[in-house]
Amino acid sequence: LCKNARRVAELEGIVDSTNVGAIFRSAAALNMDAVLINPSCCDPLCRRAVRVSMGTVFQVPWTYLPEDDDFPALLRRFGFVTAAMALRQDSLRLDDPLLARAEKLAVVLGTEGDGLAPDTIAHCDHTVMIPMTHGVDSLNVAAAAAVAFYQLGLQCQ
């Protein structure tokens, strides 16, 4: 699945089927080559996720990651740089040229509310954030995915 991919999304712990469906729709529209699903996510084939995705869950290649596997190490073996989406002071901005230079990039998105596990962030190559204004602290995971896919997918065209 990752052999010829340049941009992939990895979903960790996203339990809302509406968010999963919206992420798939954005992945299809915004140049993501594949979606990798952590076993803690809701099933992308559940009726609501399929409906919200407008059927793109059948268009975008996807698979479940093995449980209890170090997925950042797995992705590195396939040549990917991993970018954890997280609101931290040491995060790169989404438009950082370092990300644009990555030939293969995996965008890692976490659960609603808590975001990515600290362990996941620690094992990724970079932490990336979307700068916020007007006192807003974050975007919904599906909205953040769309923004990230737009910015990072364009860099591959």
Side-chain angles (χ1 to χ4, degrees), residues 106-119:
V107 180
V108 185
L109 298 147
T111 186
E112 303 88 345
D114 292 335
L116 288 169
D119 224 27

Side-chain angles (χ1 to χ4, degrees), residues 117-134:
D119 224 27
T120 299
I121 295 169
H123 287 100
C124 286
D125 299 307
H126 304 290
T127 305
V128 180
M129 64 180 268
I130 300 167
M132 299 286 124
T133 62
H134 300 293

Side-chain angles (χ1 to χ4, degrees), residues 67-147:
E67 198 163 354
D68 299 328
D69 199 2
D70 180 2
F71 77 84
L74 177 69
L75 288 169
R76 272 189 221 94
R77 286 196 302 270
F78 287 108
F80 283 90
V81 171
T82 53
M85 297 291 295
L87 295 170
R88 293 177 15 155
Q89 293 297 87
D90 62 343
S91 295
L92 299 174
R93 287 176 48 110
L94 191 59
D95 59 355
D96 192 293
L98 184 65
L99 300 172
R101 288 193 297 268
E103 184 177 327
K104 297 177 91 170
L105 184 69
V107 180
V108 185
L109 298 147
T111 186
E112 303 88 345
D114 292 335
L116 288 169
D119 224 27
T120 299
I121 295 169
H123 287 100
C124 286
D125 299 307
H126 304 290
T127 305
V128 180
M129 64 180 268
I130 300 167
M132 299 286 124
T133 62
H134 300 293
V136 175
D137 64 346
S138 67
L139 295 173
N140 163 280
V141 67
V147 171

Side-chain angles (χ1 to χ4, degrees), residues 22-103:
I23 290 168
F24 266 88
R25 189 171 180 185
S26 294
L30 301 170
N31 208 30
M32 291 288 112
D33 297 314
V35 177
L36 309 173
I37 309 282
N38 181 288
S40 61
C41 283
C42 87
D43 182 1
L45 295 178
C46 78
R47 190 171 73 89
R48 180 97 174 124
V50 170
R51 194 172 99 191
V52 171
S53 81
M54 299 293 290
T56 57
V57 71
F58 302 113
Q59 178 184 351
V60 177
W62 67 275
T63 191
Y64 282 106
L65 290 168
E67 198 163 354
D68 299 328
D69 199 2
D70 180 2
F71 77 84
L74 177 69
L75 288 169
R76 272 189 221 94
R77 286 196 302 270
F78 287 108
F80 283 90
V81 171
T82 53
M85 297 291 295
L87 295 170
R88 293 177 15 155
Q89 293 297 87
D90 62 343
S91 295
L92 299 174
R93 287 176 48 110
L94 191 59
D95 59 355
D96 192 293
L98 184 65
L99 300 172
R101 288 193 297 268
E103 184 177 327

